[in-house]
Amino acid sequence: MACTRVIERMLASAGQGGPAAPRFEPACDVAQGGVLWALPALESNGLLSHLERLRPIKEGFYSLVQVVILLGLMALCRIKAIERLRFQSPGEMGKLLGLDRIPEVRTLRAKVAELAAGGKAFQWSAELTRQWLEGDAAAAGVLYVDGRVSVYHGGQTRLPRRYVTRERLCLRGLTDYWVNDQLGRPFFVVSTAFTDGMQAALREEIVPRLLREVPGQPDERALADQPRAHRFVVIFDREGYSPKFFTELWRQRIACQTYRRGAVEDWPEQEFSWYDAAGPQGQAARMQLAERGVWMAEGFWMREVRRRKENGHQTAILSSDYLSSIEAIGTHMFSRWSQENYFKYMDEHFDLDRLASYETAAADETKTVVNPLWRKLDSQCKSRSAALGRRRAEFAAITLREEDLAGQETTRRMRHYVARKAELREDIAALEREVE
């Protein structure tokens, strides 16, 4: 039975009773009771730390700690949305909190909305991020950044379209840029409705926050004494590739690492040597690696490390980390799978890309975006230019061969040749005027 603590609930509804104290009683066959074993792990990760950032909150019958623990237990039980609590036994789950029952769905949604109001949840997340970074300063020295799209299927707003890799379609949604360590553990995420790309997210949101929160950074004097030293390393995929952007990061003494973009010639096999390396979790790896220096934009010098596989394929890596060994560079780059594994696991078990709410919020009016009219005209121009290129290629490919001028069909073939050339010339002229 639920709602056995009737008097306490009536007093709380009248505003005369504080939060209900947890009261655990002997019970048999409590559904999902095993999740209580994970409470120490949740606490060690900071679930109940810095809760002052979430106050003030109107607690009523349920306290702030009980609401936060309930959300943690929902994650452990793989209850992916608050609405799914309708299919759970409220009395059974209430025993896990030491209460007669858990809140109703509408009550819990109101509590969560109150917790998130005014940016309090972001402040709490920032404190937890700082705690996690300080807890493992070595892992915080190498950070992975990658983007994912949370697809929006509602109709309250028209979000920009972006390419969703897992769907292989261009769909409307938000772009989330995740920052993880070498083991795949998440530190924070930045969500944006704009499609400016990873470079803009790094420049405007991620790097300023990392400069404030990453522990163990060398001071200005140490950086001046060691010209090749860096604050930390940021690793991303080809989306963030830009020699100019690499130089911009190094001006802040931030090392970056990514795959080299574009076609490159293979290096001779004799340049590669075997190296023994250890992965972030201690797993042994043996790789064929080679290294050269390469000049980028504005006279910026970077390390180019290549890994050669058994089939002869070479993967090129660019890095401005001048202190790490060649095997460390290769290990860091090819450990990006840890972040991909995190995405896959969280999406399967916790519905990572699900939008928490369909509420709308005002966009940043100071943000610079592409003019929709220009985007439409630019798309039309590219389409007409492609058609123009095809017409010109066909015009150049039509020629008279010797066999076309021999025999009794010469006149007919000549007329067809002249007519087709004239037709293509008219199409080309029309497309040229349209593009102009």
Side-chain angles (χ1 to χ4, degrees), residues 371-430:
N371 190 321
L373 295 177
W374 183 92
R375 189 191 300 273
K376 181 179 179 180
L377 290 174
D378 183 62
S379 176
Q380 294 176 356
C381 186
K382 290 179 180 178
S383 175
R384 300 301 189 274
S385 297
L388 177 59
R390 292 192 295 270
R391 292 294 191 277
R392 285 174 173 170
E394 185 179 356
F395 182 85
I398 297 178
T399 58
L400 280 175
R401 297 168 295 179
E402 291 184 3
E403 53 268 26
D404 293 335
L405 301 177
Q408 301 177 356
E409 296 292 329
T410 300
T411 304
R412 186 184 65 81
R413 290 173 178 171
M414 281 290 296
R415 290 176 179 174
H416 175 74
Y417 169 80
V418 173
R420 183 56 181 161
K421 280 281 191 177
E423 180 182 353
L424 288 174
R425 182 65 261 177
E426 291 179 2
D427 292 346
I428 290 172

Short mmCIF file of all heavy atoms in Angstrom, two decimals, residues 371-430:
data_model
loop_
_atom_site.label_atom_id
_atom_site.label_comp_id
_atom_site.label_asym_id
_atom_site.label_seq_id
_atom_site.Cartn_x
_atom_site.Cartn_y
_atom_site.Cartn_z
N ASN A 371 22.22 34.23 -43.34
CA ASN A 371 20.94 34.75 -43.81
C ASN A 371 20.19 33.65 -44.56
O ASN A 371 20.72 33.08 -45.52
CB ASN A 371 21.18 35.95 -44.75
CG ASN A 371 19.90 36.68 -45.08
OD1 ASN A 371 18.86 36.06 -45.27
ND2 ASN A 371 19.98 37.99 -45.15
N PRO A 372 18.95 33.30 -44.18
CA PRO A 372 18.22 32.23 -44.87
C PRO A 372 18.04 32.50 -46.36
O PRO A 372 18.08 31.57 -47.17
CB PRO A 372 16.88 32.19 -44.13
CG PRO A 372 17.16 32.79 -42.80
CD PRO A 372 18.20 33.83 -43.02
N LEU A 373 17.83 33.77 -46.74
CA LEU A 373 17.68 34.08 -48.16
C LEU A 373 18.97 33.82 -48.92
O LEU A 373 18.96 33.28 -50.03
CB LEU A 373 17.25 35.55 -48.33
CG LEU A 373 15.88 35.91 -47.76
CD1 LEU A 373 15.61 37.40 -47.94
CD2 LEU A 373 14.78 35.10 -48.44
N TRP A 374 20.10 34.19 -48.30
CA TRP A 374 21.39 33.91 -48.94
C TRP A 374 21.62 32.41 -49.06
O TRP A 374 22.11 31.93 -50.08
CB TRP A 374 22.52 34.54 -48.13
CG TRP A 374 23.88 34.36 -48.77
CD1 TRP A 374 24.50 35.19 -49.63
CD2 TRP A 374 24.76 33.25 -48.59
NE1 TRP A 374 25.71 34.68 -50.00
CE2 TRP A 374 25.89 33.49 -49.38
CE3 TRP A 374 24.70 32.07 -47.84
CZ2 TRP A 374 26.97 32.59 -49.44
CZ3 TRP A 374 25.75 31.18 -47.90
CH2 TRP A 374 26.87 31.45 -48.69
N ARG A 375 21.27 31.65 -48.02
CA ARG A 375 21.45 30.21 -48.05
C ARG A 375 20.65 29.59 -49.20
O ARG A 375 21.12 28.70 -49.91
CB ARG A 375 21.01 29.59 -46.73
CG ARG A 375 21.36 28.12 -46.59
CD ARG A 375 20.66 27.53 -45.38
NE ARG A 375 21.05 28.18 -44.15
CZ ARG A 375 22.10 27.82 -43.42
NH1 ARG A 375 22.88 26.85 -43.83
NH2 ARG A 375 22.37 28.45 -42.31
N LYS A 376 19.40 30.07 -49.41
CA LYS A 376 18.57 29.54 -50.47
C LYS A 376 19.15 29.86 -51.84
O LYS A 376 19.24 29.00 -52.72
CB LYS A 376 17.15 30.11 -50.35
CG LYS A 376 16.18 29.61 -51.40
CD LYS A 376 14.80 30.20 -51.17
CE LYS A 376 13.81 29.71 -52.24
NZ LYS A 376 12.47 30.29 -52.03
N LEU A 377 19.57 31.12 -52.03
CA LEU A 377 20.16 31.51 -53.32
C LEU A 377 21.48 30.79 -53.57
O LEU A 377 21.77 30.40 -54.72
CB LEU A 377 20.36 33.02 -53.35
CG LEU A 377 19.08 33.87 -53.43
CD1 LEU A 377 19.44 35.35 -53.30
CD2 LEU A 377 18.34 33.61 -54.72
N ASP A 378 22.26 30.62 -52.53
CA ASP A 378 23.53 29.92 -52.70
C ASP A 378 23.31 28.47 -53.10
O ASP A 378 24.04 27.93 -53.94
CB ASP A 378 24.32 29.99 -51.39
CG ASP A 378 25.68 29.34 -51.50
OD1 ASP A 378 26.50 29.83 -52.31
OD2 ASP A 378 25.94 28.35 -50.80
N SER A 379 22.29 27.83 -52.53
CA SER A 379 21.96 26.46 -52.92
C SER A 379 21.54 26.39 -54.38
O SER A 379 21.95 25.49 -55.12
CB SER A 379 20.86 25.91 -52.01
OG SER A 379 20.46 24.63 -52.42
N GLN A 380 20.71 27.34 -54.81
CA GLN A 380 20.29 27.37 -56.21
C GLN A 380 21.47 27.62 -57.14
O GLN A 380 21.58 27.01 -58.21
CB GLN A 380 19.22 28.44 -56.41
CG GLN A 380 17.92 28.16 -55.67
CD GLN A 380 16.93 29.30 -55.82
OE1 GLN A 380 17.25 30.34 -56.41
NE2 GLN A 380 15.74 29.12 -55.27
N CYS A 381 22.38 28.50 -56.72
CA CYS A 381 23.54 28.81 -57.55
C CYS A 381 24.43 27.57 -57.72
O CYS A 381 24.92 27.29 -58.81
CB CYS A 381 24.33 29.96 -56.92
SG CYS A 381 25.69 30.55 -57.93
N LYS A 382 24.64 26.82 -56.63
CA LYS A 382 25.44 25.61 -56.73
C LYS A 382 24.77 24.58 -57.63
O LYS A 382 25.45 23.90 -58.42
CB LYS A 382 25.65 25.02 -55.33
CG LYS A 382 26.57 25.84 -54.45
CD LYS A 382 26.72 25.21 -53.08
CE LYS A 382 27.66 26.03 -52.20
NZ LYS A 382 27.79 25.45 -50.84
N SER A 383 23.45 24.48 -57.56
CA SER A 383 22.74 23.54 -58.42
C SER A 383 22.86 23.91 -59.89
O SER A 383 23.15 23.05 -60.74
CB SER A 383 21.26 23.49 -58.01
OG SER A 383 20.53 22.67 -58.89
N ARG A 384 22.68 25.20 -60.20
CA ARG A 384 22.80 25.63 -61.60
C ARG A 384 24.24 25.52 -62.10
O ARG A 384 24.48 25.20 -63.26
CB ARG A 384 22.31 27.07 -61.74
CG ARG A 384 20.87 27.29 -61.35
CD ARG A 384 19.90 26.44 -62.18
NE ARG A 384 18.53 26.81 -61.94
CZ ARG A 384 17.79 26.34 -60.94
NH1 ARG A 384 18.31 25.49 -60.07
NH2 ARG A 384 16.53 26.71 -60.80
N SER A 385 25.20 25.80 -61.23
CA SER A 385 26.60 25.69 -61.63
C SER A 385 26.97 24.25 -61.94
O SER A 385 27.73 23.97 -62.88
CB SER A 385 27.51 26.23 -60.52
OG SER A 385 27.27 27.61 -60.30
N ALA A 386 26.43 23.31 -61.17
CA ALA A 386 26.68 21.90 -61.46
C ALA A 386 26.08 21.50 -62.80
O ALA A 386 26.70 20.78 -63.60
CB ALA A 386 26.12 21.03 -60.34
N ALA A 387 24.85 21.97 -63.06
CA ALA A 387 24.23 21.67 -64.36
C ALA A 387 25.02 22.30 -65.50
O ALA A 387 25.18 21.70 -66.58
CB ALA A 387 22.78 22.18 -64.36
N LEU A 388 25.53 23.52 -65.27
CA LEU A 388 26.34 24.18 -66.29
C LEU A 388 27.61 23.38 -66.58
O LEU A 388 28.01 23.23 -67.75
CB LEU A 388 26.69 25.60 -65.82
CG LEU A 388 27.59 26.43 -66.74
CD1 LEU A 388 26.95 26.62 -68.11
CD2 LEU A 388 27.90 27.78 -66.09
N GLY A 389 28.24 22.86 -65.56
CA GLY A 389 29.44 22.06 -65.77
C GLY A 389 29.15 20.81 -66.57
O GLY A 389 29.96 20.41 -67.44
N ARG A 390 28.00 20.17 -66.31
CA ARG A 390 27.65 18.97 -67.07
C ARG A 390 27.38 19.29 -68.54
O ARG A 390 27.79 18.55 -69.44
CB ARG A 390 26.43 18.30 -66.44
CG ARG A 390 26.70 17.68 -65.07
CD ARG A 390 25.55 16.79 -64.64
NE ARG A 390 24.32 17.54 -64.45
CZ ARG A 390 23.95 18.09 -63.28
NH1 ARG A 390 24.76 17.98 -62.23
NH2 ARG A 390 22.81 18.74 -63.17
N ARG A 391 26.72 20.41 -68.80
CA ARG A 391 26.44 20.81 -70.20
C ARG A 391 27.75 21.11 -70.93
O ARG A 391 27.92 20.74 -72.10
CB ARG A 391 25.54 22.04 -70.22
CG ARG A 391 24.13 21.80 -69.72
CD ARG A 391 23.34 20.85 -70.63
NE ARG A 391 21.95 20.82 -70.29
CZ ARG A 391 21.42 20.06 -69.31
NH1 ARG A 391 22.24 19.30 -68.57
NH2 ARG A 391 20.15 20.07 -69.05
N ARG A 392 28.66 21.81 -70.28
CA ARG A 392 29.93 22.13 -70.93
C ARG A 392 30.73 20.86 -71.23
O ARG A 392 31.37 20.75 -72.29
CB ARG A 392 30.74 23.06 -70.03
CG ARG A 392 30.23 24.50 -70.01
CD ARG A 392 30.96 25.34 -68.99
NE ARG A 392 30.58 26.75 -69.08
CZ ARG A 392 30.93 27.67 -68.19
NH1 ARG A 392 31.68 27.32 -67.14
NH2 ARG A 392 30.55 28.92 -68.34
N ALA A 393 30.70 19.91 -70.30
CA ALA A 393 31.41 18.66 -70.55
C ALA A 393 30.79 17.89 -71.71
O ALA A 393 31.51 17.33 -72.56
CB ALA A 393 31.38 17.80 -69.27
N GLU A 394 29.48 17.88 -71.79
CA GLU A 394 28.82 17.20 -72.90
C GLU A 394 29.09 17.92 -74.22
O GLU A 394 29.30 17.28 -75.27
CB GLU A 394 27.31 17.13 -72.64
CG GLU A 394 26.54 16.32 -73.68
CD GLU A 394 25.05 16.25 -73.38
OE1 GLU A 394 24.63 16.77 -72.32
OE2 GLU A 394 24.31 15.69 -74.21
N PHE A 395 29.11 19.25 -74.20
CA PHE A 395 29.39 20.02 -75.41
C PHE A 395 30.80 19.71 -75.94
O PHE A 395 31.01 19.56 -77.15
CB PHE A 395 29.26 21.52 -75.10
CG PHE A 395 29.49 22.42 -76.29
CD1 PHE A 395 28.44 22.71 -77.16
CD2 PHE A 395 30.73 22.98 -76.53
CE1 PHE A 395 28.64 23.54 -78.25
CE2 PHE A 395 30.94 23.81 -77.61
CZ PHE A 395 29.89 24.09 -78.48
N ALA A 396 31.74 19.59 -75.01
CA ALA A 396 33.11 19.31 -75.43
C ALA A 396 33.29 17.88 -75.88
O ALA A 396 34.18 17.57 -76.70
CB ALA A 396 34.08 19.62 -74.30
N ALA A 397 32.45 16.96 -75.40
CA ALA A 397 32.62 15.55 -75.72
C ALA A 397 32.05 15.18 -77.09
O ALA A 397 32.42 14.15 -77.67
CB ALA A 397 31.97 14.68 -74.64
N ILE A 398 31.12 15.99 -77.63
CA ILE A 398 30.51 15.68 -78.92
C ILE A 398 31.45 16.11 -80.04
O ILE A 398 31.73 17.30 -80.20
CB ILE A 398 29.14 16.38 -79.07
CG1 ILE A 398 28.17 15.86 -78.01
CG2 ILE A 398 28.58 16.15 -80.47
CD1 ILE A 398 26.83 16.53 -78.05
N THR A 399 31.95 15.17 -80.77
CA THR A 399 32.86 15.45 -81.89
C THR A 399 32.46 14.59 -83.08
O THR A 399 31.78 13.56 -82.94
CB THR A 399 34.32 15.14 -81.52
OG1 THR A 399 34.41 13.76 -81.11
CG2 THR A 399 34.79 16.04 -80.39
N LEU A 400 32.89 15.02 -84.27
CA LEU A 400 32.66 14.25 -85.50
C LEU A 400 33.84 13.33 -85.74
O LEU A 400 34.99 13.78 -85.78
CB LEU A 400 32.47 15.19 -86.70
CG LEU A 400 31.09 15.82 -86.85
CD1 LEU A 400 31.08 16.82 -88.00
CD2 LEU A 400 30.01 14.77 -87.08
N ARG A 401 33.56 12.05 -85.85
CA ARG A 401 34.61 11.09 -86.16
C ARG A 401 34.65 10.82 -87.67
O ARG A 401 33.72 11.15 -88.41
CB ARG A 401 34.34 9.79 -85.40
CG ARG A 401 34.39 9.97 -83.87
CD ARG A 401 33.84 8.76 -83.15
NE ARG A 401 32.40 8.60 -83.45
CZ ARG A 401 31.64 7.60 -82.97
NH1 ARG A 401 32.19 6.70 -82.18
NH2 ARG A 401 30.37 7.52 -83.29
N GLU A 402 35.71 10.21 -88.13
CA GLU A 402 35.88 9.94 -89.57
C GLU A 402 34.79 9.03 -90.08
O GLU A 402 34.27 9.22 -91.19
CB GLU A 402 37.26 9.31 -89.82
CG GLU A 402 38.42 10.27 -89.58
CD GLU A 402 39.75 9.63 -89.95
OE1 GLU A 402 39.72 8.48 -90.44
OE2 GLU A 402 40.79 10.28 -89.74
N GLU A 403 34.40 8.04 -89.25
CA GLU A 403 33.36 7.12 -89.72
C GLU A 403 32.00 7.79 -89.83
O GLU A 403 31.12 7.34 -90.57
CB GLU A 403 33.26 5.90 -88.81
CG GLU A 403 33.07 6.22 -87.33
CD GLU A 403 34.38 6.31 -86.60
OE1 GLU A 403 35.41 6.60 -87.25
OE2 GLU A 403 34.39 6.09 -85.37
N ASP A 404 31.80 8.91 -89.09
CA ASP A 404 30.54 9.64 -89.20
C ASP A 404 30.44 10.36 -90.54
O ASP A 404 29.33 10.65 -91.02
CB ASP A 404 30.41 10.66 -88.07
CG ASP A 404 30.28 9.97 -86.71
OD1 ASP A 404 29.81 8.81 -86.68
OD2 ASP A 404 30.64 10.59 -85.69
N LEU A 405 31.58 10.69 -91.14
CA LEU A 405 31.58 11.44 -92.41
C LEU A 405 31.67 10.53 -93.62
O LEU A 405 31.73 11.00 -94.75
CB LEU A 405 32.76 12.42 -92.43
CG LEU A 405 32.76 13.45 -91.29
CD1 LEU A 405 34.00 14.32 -91.35
CD2 LEU A 405 31.51 14.31 -91.36
N ALA A 406 31.69 9.23 -93.38
CA ALA A 406 31.76 8.28 -94.50
C ALA A 406 30.41 7.65 -94.75
O ALA A 406 29.59 7.50 -93.85
CB ALA A 406 32.80 7.21 -94.20
N GLY A 407 30.16 7.30 -95.97
CA GLY A 407 28.93 6.60 -96.33
C GLY A 407 27.78 7.53 -96.68
O GLY A 407 27.94 8.74 -96.82
N GLN A 408 26.62 6.91 -96.79
CA GLN A 408 25.44 7.64 -97.25
C GLN A 408 24.76 8.44 -96.14
O GLN A 408 23.89 9.25 -96.43
CB GLN A 408 24.43 6.63 -97.84
CG GLN A 408 25.00 5.83 -99.01
CD GLN A 408 24.01 4.81 -99.52
OE1 GLN A 408 22.92 4.65 -98.98
NE2 GLN A 408 24.39 4.11 -100.60
N GLU A 409 25.12 8.21 -94.88
CA GLU A 409 24.47 8.89 -93.75
C GLU A 409 25.19 10.18 -93.34
O GLU A 409 24.89 10.75 -92.30
CB GLU A 409 24.43 7.95 -92.54
CG GLU A 409 23.60 6.69 -92.74
CD GLU A 409 22.12 7.02 -92.85
OE1 GLU A 409 21.69 8.01 -92.22
OE2 GLU A 409 21.41 6.29 -93.55
N THR A 410 26.11 10.63 -94.18
CA THR A 410 26.91 11.79 -93.79
C THR A 410 26.06 13.03 -93.54
O THR A 410 26.22 13.73 -92.54
CB THR A 410 27.96 12.09 -94.88
OG1 THR A 410 28.80 10.94 -95.04
CG2 THR A 410 28.80 13.29 -94.50
N THR A 411 25.14 13.32 -94.43
CA THR A 411 24.32 14.53 -94.30
C THR A 411 23.47 14.49 -93.04
O THR A 411 23.38 15.48 -92.29
CB THR A 411 23.42 14.69 -95.53
OG1 THR A 411 24.23 14.72 -96.70
CG2 THR A 411 22.61 15.98 -95.44
N ARG A 412 22.84 13.33 -92.79
CA ARG A 412 21.98 13.23 -91.60
C ARG A 412 22.80 13.37 -90.32
O ARG A 412 22.38 14.04 -89.38
CB ARG A 412 21.26 11.87 -91.61
CG ARG A 412 20.23 11.72 -90.47
CD ARG A 412 19.63 10.33 -90.48
NE ARG A 412 20.66 9.34 -90.17
CZ ARG A 412 21.05 9.05 -88.93
NH1 ARG A 412 20.54 9.70 -87.90
NH2 ARG A 412 21.96 8.13 -88.72
N ARG A 413 23.98 12.76 -90.30
CA ARG A 413 24.83 12.85 -89.12
C ARG A 413 25.33 14.28 -88.91
O ARG A 413 25.46 14.74 -87.76
CB ARG A 413 25.99 11.89 -89.23
CG ARG A 413 25.55 10.42 -89.12
CD ARG A 413 26.69 9.48 -89.41
NE ARG A 413 26.26 8.08 -89.26
CZ ARG A 413 27.01 7.04 -89.61
NH1 ARG A 413 28.22 7.22 -90.12
NH2 ARG A 413 26.55 5.81 -89.44
N MET A 414 25.64 14.96 -89.98
CA MET A 414 26.09 16.34 -89.85
C MET A 414 24.98 17.21 -89.27
O MET A 414 25.23 18.07 -88.41
CB MET A 414 26.53 16.87 -91.21
CG MET A 414 27.92 16.43 -91.62
SD MET A 414 29.21 17.21 -90.62
CE MET A 414 28.97 18.91 -91.08
N ARG A 415 23.74 17.01 -89.76
CA ARG A 415 22.62 17.80 -89.25
C ARG A 415 22.40 17.53 -87.76
O ARG A 415 22.14 18.44 -86.97
CB ARG A 415 21.36 17.48 -90.04
CG ARG A 415 21.39 18.01 -91.48
CD ARG A 415 20.15 17.58 -92.22
NE ARG A 415 20.15 18.11 -93.59
CZ ARG A 415 19.24 17.77 -94.50
NH1 ARG A 415 18.25 16.91 -94.18
NH2 ARG A 415 19.30 18.29 -95.72
N HIS A 416 22.49 16.26 -87.38
CA HIS A 416 22.30 15.91 -85.96
C HIS A 416 23.40 16.55 -85.10
O HIS A 416 23.13 17.06 -84.00
CB HIS A 416 22.31 14.40 -85.79
CG HIS A 416 22.24 13.95 -84.34
ND1 HIS A 416 21.09 14.04 -83.60
CD2 HIS A 416 23.20 13.44 -83.52
CE1 HIS A 416 21.32 13.61 -82.36
NE2 HIS A 416 22.60 13.22 -82.30
N TYR A 417 24.63 16.51 -85.58
CA TYR A 417 25.76 17.08 -84.85
C TYR A 417 25.57 18.58 -84.65
O TYR A 417 25.72 19.11 -83.54
CB TYR A 417 27.06 16.80 -85.62
CG TYR A 417 28.26 17.55 -85.11
CD1 TYR A 417 28.95 17.12 -83.99
CD2 TYR A 417 28.70 18.70 -85.76
CE1 TYR A 417 30.06 17.82 -83.53
CE2 TYR A 417 29.81 19.40 -85.29
CZ TYR A 417 30.48 18.96 -84.18
OH TYR A 417 31.58 19.65 -83.72
N VAL A 418 25.21 19.28 -85.74
CA VAL A 418 25.03 20.73 -85.66
C VAL A 418 23.85 21.08 -84.75
O VAL A 418 23.93 22.01 -83.93
CB VAL A 418 24.84 21.32 -87.07
CG1 VAL A 418 24.47 22.79 -86.99
CG2 VAL A 418 26.08 21.12 -87.90
N ALA A 419 22.75 20.32 -84.85
CA ALA A 419 21.57 20.62 -84.04
C ALA A 419 21.86 20.40 -82.56
O ALA A 419 21.47 21.20 -81.70
CB ALA A 419 20.40 19.74 -84.48
N ARG A 420 22.57 19.29 -82.24
CA ARG A 420 22.87 19.01 -80.83
C ARG A 420 23.83 20.05 -80.27
O ARG A 420 23.67 20.51 -79.12
CB ARG A 420 23.48 17.60 -80.71
CG ARG A 420 23.76 17.18 -79.27
CD ARG A 420 22.51 17.25 -78.42
NE ARG A 420 22.75 16.88 -77.03
CZ ARG A 420 21.96 17.19 -76.03
NH1 ARG A 420 20.85 17.89 -76.26
NH2 ARG A 420 22.23 16.80 -74.81
N LYS A 421 24.83 20.46 -81.04
CA LYS A 421 25.75 21.49 -80.60
C LYS A 421 25.02 22.81 -80.34
O LYS A 421 25.27 23.49 -79.34
CB LYS A 421 26.85 21.69 -81.64
CG LYS A 421 27.96 20.66 -81.60
CD LYS A 421 28.94 20.97 -80.47
CE LYS A 421 30.19 20.12 -80.57
NZ LYS A 421 31.17 20.44 -79.54
N ALA A 422 24.13 23.16 -81.23
CA ALA A 422 23.37 24.40 -81.07
C ALA A 422 22.47 24.35 -79.83
O ALA A 422 22.36 25.33 -79.08
CB ALA A 422 22.54 24.67 -82.32
N GLU A 423 21.86 23.19 -79.62
CA GLU A 423 20.98 23.04 -78.47
C GLU A 423 21.78 23.18 -77.16
O GLU A 423 21.35 23.86 -76.22
CB GLU A 423 20.30 21.68 -78.52
CG GLU A 423 19.35 21.41 -77.36
CD GLU A 423 18.72 20.03 -77.44
OE1 GLU A 423 18.92 19.33 -78.47
OE2 GLU A 423 18.05 19.63 -76.47
N LEU A 424 22.93 22.52 -77.11
CA LEU A 424 23.76 22.62 -75.91
C LEU A 424 24.29 24.04 -75.72
O LEU A 424 24.39 24.53 -74.60
CB LEU A 424 24.93 21.64 -76.00
CG LEU A 424 24.58 20.16 -75.84
CD1 LEU A 424 25.80 19.28 -76.11
CD2 LEU A 424 24.05 19.88 -74.43
N ARG A 425 24.62 24.72 -76.83
CA ARG A 425 25.12 26.09 -76.72
C ARG A 425 24.04 27.00 -76.16
O ARG A 425 24.34 27.88 -75.32
CB ARG A 425 25.53 26.56 -78.12
CG ARG A 425 26.13 27.94 -78.21
CD ARG A 425 27.45 28.03 -77.48
NE ARG A 425 27.29 28.62 -76.14
CZ ARG A 425 28.25 28.76 -75.27
NH1 ARG A 425 29.47 28.33 -75.53
NH2 ARG A 425 28.02 29.31 -74.09
N GLU A 426 22.79 26.80 -76.53
CA GLU A 426 21.69 27.59 -75.98
C GLU A 426 21.51 27.31 -74.48
O GLU A 426 21.30 28.23 -73.68
CB GLU A 426 20.41 27.29 -76.74
CG GLU A 426 20.39 27.79 -78.17
CD GLU A 426 19.10 27.44 -78.88
OE1 GLU A 426 18.21 26.84 -78.22
OE2 GLU A 426 18.97 27.77 -80.08
N ASP A 427 21.58 26.00 -74.10
CA ASP A 427 21.45 25.65 -72.68
C ASP A 427 22.57 26.28 -71.86
O ASP A 427 22.35 26.79 -70.76
CB ASP A 427 21.46 24.14 -72.52
CG ASP A 427 20.22 23.47 -73.09
OD1 ASP A 427 19.24 24.20 -73.37
OD2 ASP A 427 20.22 22.23 -73.25
N ILE A 428 23.78 26.22 -72.39
CA ILE A 428 24.94 26.79 -71.68
C ILE A 428 24.78 28.30 -71.51
O ILE A 428 25.02 28.85 -70.44
CB ILE A 428 26.24 26.46 -72.44
CG1 ILE A 428 26.54 24.93 -72.31
CG2 ILE A 428 27.40 27.25 -71.88
CD1 ILE A 428 27.69 24.48 -73.17
N ALA A 429 24.34 28.96 -72.56
CA ALA A 429 24.16 30.40 -72.48
C ALA A 429 23.08 30.77 -71.47
O ALA A 429 23.23 31.71 -70.69
CB ALA A 429 23.82 30.97 -73.86
N ALA A 430 21.98 29.99 -71.45
CA ALA A 430 20.91 30.26 -70.52
C ALA A 430 21.36 30.04 -69.07
O ALA A 430 21.05 30.83 -68.17
CB ALA A 430 19.69 29.37 -70.83
#
